[in-house]
């Protein structure tokens, strides 16, 4: 039976009774998880209440074997700091029973890098109405699409674009706020509301994600890569990189460098 409370959450009240009634009238199994294989640019997954992956599409698994992912949690598969964020979001969705819509966040790519994606998660209920897991999907967010999704905050695209444009420099939050014509406190609120992070953390993640791309996609030396994203001190670059990616830049390059 379709849970009408969940349908109402997902449809925001728009014809939720009609949607639930129609879904209940369908023969079970017609809407298959296999359909998500038809979306190569969209990652899709299902987790149980313990956060273990029980289903995922090809876009999510890429070249990994099923047994490398099935039964594993985010903590088993990706850098610690990113895993902690994903797992906390899962808990919030399960505890509140409410979906998380289009959260713009860093997501680990098939090659071990990171990119900005819009992630949506929904709670999964059993036939008794108990939350038993989550399902999620994410799509890549290009800079030309405008970040984040809500139209009333499209000025965030300009702010984010400015950060990436100046990625080789030491970027201070106060300078970002001044360039955007807002106070530091207003900038903090914008980032918290739209990206669930702070401007300082976003700047760090932008630098590290850019470094990831250059480590696997160019022949720049590791020290040179660090300098290219604003780290004049190699030791500071290595510490900052390790904190996000859970490995050193050299280890990252060795593990994920694409063959020419």
């Amino acid at each position: 039976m379709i849970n009408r409370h969940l349908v109402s959450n997902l449809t925001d009240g728009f014809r939720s009774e009609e949607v639930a009634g129609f879904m209940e009238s369908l023969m079970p199994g017609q809407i298959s998880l296999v359909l998500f294989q038809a979306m190569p640019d969209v990652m899709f997954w299902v987790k149980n209440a313990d956060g273990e992956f029980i289903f995922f599409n090809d876009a999510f698994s890429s070249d990994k074997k099923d047994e490398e992912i099935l039964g594993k949690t985010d903590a088993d598969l990706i850098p610690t700091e990113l895993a902690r964020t994903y797992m906390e979001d899962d808990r919030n969705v399960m505890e509140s029973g409410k979906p998380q819509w289009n959260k713009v966040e860093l997501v680990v790519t098939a090659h071990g890098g990171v990119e900005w994606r819009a992630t949506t998660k929904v709670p999964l209920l059993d036939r008794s109405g108990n939350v038993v897991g989550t399902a999620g999907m994410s799509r890549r967010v290009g800079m030309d699409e405008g970040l984040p999704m809500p139209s009333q905050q499209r000025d965030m695209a300009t702010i984010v674009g400015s950060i990436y444009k100046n990625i080789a420099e030491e970027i201070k939050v106060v300078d970002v706020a001044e360039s955007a014509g807002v106070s530091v406190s207003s900038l903090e609120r914008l980032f918290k509301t739209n990206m669930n992070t702070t401007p300082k953390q976003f700047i760090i993640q932008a630098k590290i994600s850019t470094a990831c791309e250059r480590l696997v996609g160019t022949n720049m030396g590791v020290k040179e890569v660090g300098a290219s994203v604003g780290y004049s001190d190699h030791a500071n670059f290595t510490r900052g990189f390790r904190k996000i990616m859970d490995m050193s830049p050299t280890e990252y390059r060795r593990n994920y460098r694409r063959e020419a």
Side-chain angles (χ1 to χ4, degrees):
M1 174 176 289
I2 300 297
N3 184 283
R4 293 173 182 267
H5 175 68
L6 178 59
V7 170
S8 179
N9 279 339
L10 298 180
T11 60
D12 196 25
F14 177 70
R15 298 181 63 192
S16 59
E17 290 299 316
E18 289 87 342
V19 172
F22 178 78
M23 295 298 289
E24 287 177 340
S25 71
L26 296 177
M27 180 184 296
Q30 294 185 85
I31 301 178
S32 172
L33 294 176
V34 176
L35 286 173
F36 285 97
Q37 300 290 23
M39 299 187 293
D41 298 324
V42 177
M43 295 181 180
F44 174 77
W45 62 91
V46 175
K47 299 176 185 176
N48 62 22
D50 295 322
E52 297 169 338
F53 289 97
I54 62 171
F55 180 86
F56 42 84
N57 66 354
D58 289 344
F60 181 89
S61 61
S62 185
D63 56 354
K64 290 187 176 64
K65 297 178 180 178
D66 288 356
E67 55 266 29
E68 295 181 75
I69 302 176
L70 286 172
K72 302 291 181 61
T73 69
D74 289 311
D76 299 317
L77 301 171
I78 60 177
T80 304
E81 185 163 324
L82 297 180
R84 185 182 302 117
T85 298
Y86 302 165
M87 294 168 77
E88 181 178 347
D89 288 343
D90 289 340
R91 285 193 295 272
N92 289 338
V93 168
M94 287 190 292
E95 290 174 2
S96 68
K98 298 179 180 178
Q100 166 193 286
W101 297 112
N102 290 322
K103 176 186 176 183
V104 181
E105 61 183 356
L106 280 177
V107 173
V108 177
T109 68
H111 296 287
V114 286
E115 63 186 7
W116 292 103
R117 299 182 72 93
T119 301
T120 292
K121 296 180 178 181
V122 299
L124 296 178
L125 310 182
D126 64 14
R127 293 179 181 272
S128 298
N130 302 307
V131 177
V132 293
T134 61
M137 61 190 301
S138 73
R139 65 180 183 85
R140 186 174 184 179
V141 178
M143 295 303 299
D144 57 343
E145 293 183 49
L147 291 178
M149 301 305 173
S151 59
Q152 68 269 24
Q153 299 295 352
R154 292 192 186 277
D155 54 342
M156 281 293 294
T158 301
I159 296 173
V160 170
S162 176
I163 289 173
Y164 276 95
K165 186 180 298 183
N166 295 286
I167 205 72
E169 310 298 327
E170 179 186 359
I171 305 174
K172 298 181 180 179
V173 173
V174 63
D175 293 333
V176 175
E178 183 178 348
S179 176
V182 298
S183 65
V184 170
S185 60
S186 294
L187 188 70
E188 295 276 354
R189 284 194 295 272
L190 280 172
F191 272 87
K192 181 63 177 177
T193 299
N194 295 292
M195 292 191 172
N196 198 33
T197 189
T198 66
K200 181 178 180 179
Q201 188 63 23
F202 181 91
I203 292 168
I204 293 171
Q205 292 174 333
K207 288 179 176 291
I208 298 305
S209 65
T210 302
C212 285
E213 295 174 359
R214 293 174 182 175
L215 284 167
V216 300
T218 75
N219 291 320
M220 298 169 66
V222 173
K223 187 174 182 179
E224 187 181 2
V225 169
S228 76
V229 294
Y231 286 89
S232 57
D233 184 271
H234 181 61
N236 285 340
F237 171 56
T238 299
R239 281 194 294 270
F241 191 96
R242 186 183 292 278
K243 183 176 181 181
I244 298 294
M245 300 307 296
D246 209 27
M247 66 181 73
S248 72
T250 300
E251 292 169 328
Y252 176 84
R253 167 168 275 178
R254 183 168 61 245
N255 290 338
Y256 299 110
R257 184 68 179 266
R258 292 189 288 268
E259 296 295 333

